[in-house]
Amino acid sequence: MVEAEGAGCKEWISPIGMSIEEHIAEQERLYPEFKKEREQNRPRRELSRLLMIRRVELDLSQQELADRMGTTVAVISRLERGSQNFSVDTLQRLAKALDTRLVYSFEPNDGADPEYVDALVVVP
Protein backbone atom coordinates (compact mmCIF):
# COMPACT_ATOMS: atom_id res chain seq x y z
CA MET A 1 0.00 0.00 0.00
CA VAL A 2 1.36 3.41 -0.98
CA GLU A 3 0.13 6.83 0.05
CA ALA A 4 0.48 9.64 -2.46
CA GLU A 5 0.44 13.15 -1.07
CA GLY A 6 -1.08 16.09 -2.86
CA ALA A 7 -2.88 19.30 -1.98
CA GLY A 8 -2.44 18.68 1.73
CA CYS A 9 -4.10 15.27 1.81
CA LYS A 10 -3.08 11.69 1.40
CA GLU A 11 -4.63 9.36 -1.14
CA TRP A 12 -4.46 5.60 -0.88
CA ILE A 13 -2.86 4.00 -3.93
CA SER A 14 -3.32 0.27 -4.37
CA PRO A 15 -0.37 -2.01 -5.07
CA ILE A 16 -1.39 -2.06 -8.74
CA GLY A 17 -0.84 1.71 -8.89
CA MET A 18 -4.41 2.93 -9.19
CA SER A 19 -6.53 4.79 -6.64
CA ILE A 20 -10.06 3.65 -5.95
CA GLU A 21 -11.40 6.77 -7.68
CA GLU A 22 -9.29 6.04 -10.76
CA HIS A 23 -10.46 2.44 -10.82
CA ILE A 24 -14.11 3.48 -10.60
CA ALA A 25 -13.61 6.09 -13.35
CA GLU A 26 -12.00 3.44 -15.56
CA GLN A 27 -14.85 0.99 -14.92
CA GLU A 28 -17.40 3.70 -15.76
CA ARG A 29 -15.53 4.48 -18.98
CA LEU A 30 -15.26 0.83 -20.02
CA TYR A 31 -18.73 -0.25 -18.92
CA PRO A 32 -21.54 2.29 -19.38
CA GLU A 33 -23.95 -0.01 -17.49
CA PHE A 34 -21.61 0.16 -14.47
CA LYS A 35 -21.83 3.95 -14.47
CA LYS A 36 -25.62 3.87 -14.83
CA GLU A 37 -26.03 1.43 -11.95
CA ARG A 38 -23.64 3.44 -9.77
CA GLU A 39 -25.69 6.59 -10.33
CA GLN A 40 -28.93 4.76 -9.59
CA ASN A 41 -27.48 3.45 -6.31
CA ARG A 42 -25.90 6.75 -5.21
CA PRO A 43 -28.73 7.79 -2.84
CA ARG A 44 -28.61 4.43 -1.06
CA ARG A 45 -24.81 4.65 -0.74
CA GLU A 46 -25.07 8.17 0.68
CA LEU A 47 -27.69 7.14 3.22
CA SER A 48 -25.54 4.18 4.18
CA ARG A 49 -22.55 6.44 4.66
CA LEU A 50 -24.52 8.84 6.86
CA LEU A 51 -25.80 5.93 8.93
CA MET A 52 -22.27 4.65 9.55
CA ILE A 53 -20.94 8.10 10.41
CA ARG A 54 -23.67 8.70 12.98
CA ARG A 55 -23.38 5.21 14.47
CA VAL A 56 -19.64 5.76 14.98
CA GLU A 57 -20.26 9.25 16.43
CA LEU A 58 -22.53 7.64 19.03
CA ASP A 59 -19.97 4.87 19.63
CA LEU A 60 -22.60 2.22 18.93
CA SER A 61 -21.89 -1.26 17.66
CA GLN A 62 -24.12 -2.69 14.96
CA GLN A 63 -25.66 -4.90 17.65
CA GLU A 64 -26.44 -1.90 19.86
CA LEU A 65 -28.05 -0.05 16.96
CA ALA A 66 -30.03 -3.15 16.02
CA ASP A 67 -31.27 -3.43 19.62
CA ARG A 68 -32.33 0.23 19.60
CA MET A 69 -34.24 -0.32 16.34
CA GLY A 70 -35.72 -3.68 17.29
CA THR A 71 -34.07 -5.43 14.36
CA THR A 72 -31.11 -7.70 13.68
CA VAL A 73 -27.43 -7.07 13.07
CA ALA A 74 -27.90 -8.58 9.60
CA VAL A 75 -30.34 -5.79 8.70
CA ILE A 76 -27.96 -3.09 9.99
CA SER A 77 -25.10 -4.67 8.05
CA ARG A 78 -27.13 -4.70 4.82
CA LEU A 79 -28.18 -1.07 5.36
CA GLU A 80 -24.57 -0.01 5.94
CA ARG A 81 -23.37 -1.90 2.85
CA GLY A 82 -26.09 -0.23 0.79
CA SER A 83 -27.48 -3.60 -0.25
CA GLN A 84 -30.93 -2.96 1.21
CA ASN A 85 -33.36 -0.18 0.41
CA PHE A 86 -34.42 2.24 3.12
CA SER A 87 -38.18 2.40 3.58
CA VAL A 88 -39.72 5.47 5.22
CA ASP A 89 -40.50 3.32 8.27
CA THR A 90 -36.86 2.19 8.45
CA LEU A 91 -35.63 5.77 8.12
CA GLN A 92 -37.92 6.87 10.96
CA ARG A 93 -36.75 4.02 13.20
CA LEU A 94 -33.12 4.79 12.33
CA ALA A 95 -33.56 8.47 13.12
CA LYS A 96 -35.00 7.64 16.53
CA ALA A 97 -32.32 5.01 17.25
CA LEU A 98 -29.58 7.46 16.22
CA ASP A 99 -30.98 10.29 18.40
CA THR A 100 -31.78 12.44 15.37
CA ARG A 101 -34.90 13.53 13.57
CA LEU A 102 -35.72 12.65 10.00
CA VAL A 103 -35.92 15.65 7.66
CA TYR A 104 -37.72 15.30 4.32
CA SER A 105 -36.87 17.65 1.49
CA PHE A 106 -37.28 18.19 -2.22
CA GLU A 107 -34.87 20.37 -4.14
CA PRO A 108 -35.33 21.81 -7.61
CA ASN A 109 -33.66 19.87 -10.38
CA ASP A 110 -31.62 22.48 -12.21
CA GLY A 111 -29.73 19.95 -14.30
CA ALA A 112 -26.53 20.29 -12.27
CA ASP A 113 -24.93 17.27 -10.67
CA PRO A 114 -26.22 16.89 -7.12
CA GLU A 115 -23.93 17.81 -4.27
CA TYR A 116 -23.82 15.09 -1.69
CA VAL A 117 -23.31 15.52 2.00
CA ASP A 118 -19.72 15.22 3.19
CA ALA A 119 -20.63 15.09 6.84
CA LEU A 120 -23.66 14.36 8.91
CA VAL A 121 -25.51 17.35 10.31
CA VAL A 122 -27.68 16.44 13.26
CA VAL A 123 -30.71 18.64 13.69
CA PRO A 124 -32.07 18.52 17.26
Side-chain angles (χ1 to χ4, degrees):
M1 173 176 22
V2 177
E3 290 184 359
E5 293 188 40
C9 64
K10 294 183 178 182
E11 176 184 16
W12 184 83
I13 304 293
S14 75
I16 60 171
M18 189 180 297
S19 71
I20 292 169
E21 290 80 16
E22 290 169 333
H23 177 71
I24 290 170
E26 180 180 10
Q27 293 300 305
E28 288 179 346
R29 183 181 56 78
L30 293 173
Y31 307 104
E33 65 277 4
F34 177 81
K35 182 176 183 174
K36 181 180 178 183
E37 185 173 326
R38 233 176 107 63
E39 286 305 313
Q40 287 174 341
N41 291 326
R42 183 183 299 263
R44 188 170 41 204
R45 284 195 322 271
E46 291 298 323
L47 282 168
S48 298
R49 187 167 153 264
L50 292 173
L51 162 58
M52 286 186 283
I53 289 169
R54 181 61 180 162
R55 182 175 64 78
V56 169
E57 285 178 348
L58 294 175
D59 196 27
L60 294 174
S61 67
Q62 287 185 338
Q63 181 64 61
E64 291 167 324
L65 180 58
D67 291 345
R68 284 184 174 200
M69 281 186 65
T71 191
T72 65
V73 172
V75 169
I76 301 301
S77 178
R78 286 192 303 268
L79 291 170
E80 288 188 354
R81 284 193 323 267
S83 60
Q84 181 168 322
N85 284 326
F86 289 78
S87 69
V88 173
D89 177 62
T90 300
L91 287 171
Q92 290 171 333
R93 290 173 39 226
L94 269 172
K96 183 177 180 180
L98 294 170
D99 298 328
T100 61
R101 68 184 181 107
L102 182 58
V103 178
Y104 301 92
S105 176
F106 289 100
E107 296 178 359
N109 185 1
D110 58 8
D113 287 336
E115 292 184 25
Y116 290 93
V117 179
D118 287 330
L120 178 65
V121 177
V122 179
V123 180

